[in-house]
Amino acid sequence: MPALTRRLALMGLMAPALAACSQGNSGGAVSGGPVPDDMSLGNPAAKVTVVEYASVACPVCGRWYKEVWPAFKAKYIDTGKIHYVFREMLVGDQNEEAIAASGFLLARCGGRDKYFSVVDAVFKSQPGLFNDPNTVLVGVAKTVGLSEAQYDACVRNEAALNALTVRVQNNAVNGKVDATPTFVINGKAMDAGFQPLTAIDAAIAAAQAA
């Protein structure tokens, strides 16, 4: 078992209750307001906040990112119409959780200003990410100015992994999330799973009209 996977197992992150990329039924209001370590884009003062709970090693999340994200970002984030918050989840089998953990640790090591650049690159690296994750992630690290040695130190940082553990567990419990991706719009969760832009359009319109 890889070292990171072993540490995740010991820390209780291998949670079988979380279904990777599955179609759940998370509809309804959820709790969990802004937290200091949230990563976000767009207009913090916007009437509508869209929270996405996702894993960079979730194939359905990756598909959404490739097919929907560009238009979603252009329509709502770049125009300041919404505040977008991305919250980290670790779901799937042990290998997928370990890959996602490495990806998120790398994104944090890149700094807040490069966080989304790393997430972008990791999502776009699917499905090759699953074949040779270390090589792919080292390549991503270099694009944000980190050497292979710095990448290794980043993903082996126990304090950072502990912090990720806390974030993921809080996201699952406070957000009432059991599958990814899950989109929560002004506190109301859509059904977990792939959501086309038309469905998100309707949910945002309803939130704006409320």
Side-chain angles (χ1 to χ4, degrees), residues 101-121:
S102 292
F104 286 134
L105 291 172
L106 172 59
R108 295 276 172 170
C109 285
R112 296 188 74 91
D113 61 331
K114 296 180 181 177
Y115 179 87
F116 283 102
S117 295
V118 173
V119 168
D120 177 274

Side-chain angles (χ1 to χ4, degrees), residues 39-125:
M39 291 297 182
S40 64
L41 295 169
N43 178 13
K47 182 178 180 180
V48 176
T49 296
V50 176
V51 179
E52 179 186 3
Y53 294 85
S55 166
V56 289
C58 162
V60 177
C61 301
R63 178 192 163 206
W64 187 87
Y65 195 87
K66 292 174 182 178
E67 296 181 10
V68 181
W69 169 257
F72 170 81
K73 181 176 182 294
K75 186 172 185 177
Y76 294 111
I77 297 174
D78 295 346
T79 59
K81 292 179 180 177
I82 68 161
H83 184 212
Y84 169 81
V85 179
F86 182 92
R87 290 187 176 157
E88 301 157 344
M89 298 295 292
L90 301 178
V91 295
D93 61 26
Q94 292 184 354
N95 185 56
E96 290 167 340
E97 289 193 350
I99 292 171
S102 292
F104 286 134
L105 291 172
L106 172 59
R108 295 276 172 170
C109 285
R112 296 188 74 91
D113 61 331
K114 296 180 181 177
Y115 179 87
F116 283 102
S117 295
V118 173
V119 168
D120 177 274
V122 177
F123 272 133
K124 287 180 178 176
S125 74

